[in-house]
Amino acid sequence: MPSFDVISKIDLAELDNAVNQTRKELSTRYDFQGVKAEIDIAPDHSALTLKTNSEEKLQAAKEVLLGKLAKRGISLRVLEFGDIEKTGLSNVKQPIKLQQGIPVEKSKELIKVLKESKIKVQGSIQADQLRVTGKNRDDLQEAMALFRKEQDRLSLDMQFTNFRD
């Protein structure tokens, strides 16, 4: 039976490259001279933390980071920005959560979208991915097109793998 998997993964090497490029650019930019700007990656690559001495510098650092991530091919849909927190000595930080895998509630929404579309395919949740099966290849390709159309509304970055005919 033809099937494919819907996943949401980040290329961790490209993430590291984008963060390192951002650090390098912030260290050489004129408006960041004498400013301590840090970007930390959690050891399990589940989050980033931006730290600077003012909210304006934090916004500028975030814009540089977003530009580097986009150039490296990392979708900005995988980022979940937390609230800006004030730390000691008039410093500020902002946590940025990285979404790896498809959460169960998003998988349920995708299955609901499939059922409402009346395409003759079935979706099944398998851990942090979704498997879609159908009777023919055309239905599966139609489901992929539907998911691509819905990914902005769901704010979910999706890749399609393991296509079997």
Side-chain angles (χ1 to χ4, degrees):
M1 189 153 214
S3 68
F4 69 90
D5 293 335
V6 182
I7 62 170
S8 179
K9 298 262 188 250
I10 301 171
D11 186 351
L12 298 179
E14 292 296 336
L15 176 69
D16 285 337
N17 289 338
V19 168
N20 289 332
Q21 285 180 344
T22 304
R23 286 178 182 146
K24 188 173 184 176
E25 182 172 330
L26 292 179
S27 69
T28 59
R29 273 182 49 164
Y30 179 75
D31 57 339
F32 277 88
Q33 295 298 317
V35 174
K36 186 177 180 189
E38 295 179 21
I39 302 173
D40 298 324
I41 302 177
D44 60 351
H45 288 83
S46 64
L48 300 172
T49 305
L50 286 173
K51 298 177 189 173
T52 61
N53 63 353
S54 70
E55 287 192 35
E56 294 82 28
K57 297 291 184 199
L58 185 76
Q59 274 309 115
K62 186 165 65 170
E63 288 175 18
V64 171
L65 175 66
L66 293 178
K68 298 296 181 190
L69 288 171
K71 281 184 183 177
R72 287 293 198 177
I74 296 175
S75 173
L76 302 181
R77 290 186 197 102
V78 301
L79 305 176
E80 224 176 273
F81 295 98
D83 294 332
I84 296 174
E85 306 166 9
K86 294 193 182 306
T87 59
L89 300 172
S90 72
N91 290 332
V92 292
K93 73 175 184 175
Q94 183 174 26
I96 303 171
K97 187 177 173 221
L98 300 171
Q99 180 181 333
Q100 287 273 46
I102 301 176
V104 174
E105 59 273 0
K106 297 273 187 185
S107 294
K108 288 180 181 178
E109 284 184 54
L110 288 172
I111 290 173
K112 183 179 173 189
V113 166
L114 272 180
K115 287 184 180 182
E116 289 172 354
S117 72
K118 305 284 192 228
I119 301 173
K120 295 179 182 175
V121 294
Q122 289 81 34
S124 61
I125 300 170
Q126 298 180 341
D128 61 348
Q129 64 184 20
L130 179 72
R131 173 153 299 158
V132 178
T133 57
K135 290 193 179 195
N136 64 28
R137 176 185 206 122
D138 294 337
D139 291 341
L140 294 179
Q141 289 174 339
E142 195 176 335
M144 282 183 191
L146 178 68
F147 285 160
R148 283 190 189 101
K149 194 171 75 173
E150 292 290 321
Q151 70 183 6
D152 279 335
R153 185 182 66 80
L154 295 171
S155 67
L156 181 66
D157 181 46
M158 292 182 264
Q159 295 94 32
F160 306 108
T161 61
N162 207 11
F163 193 94
R164 298 179 193 249
D165 203 9

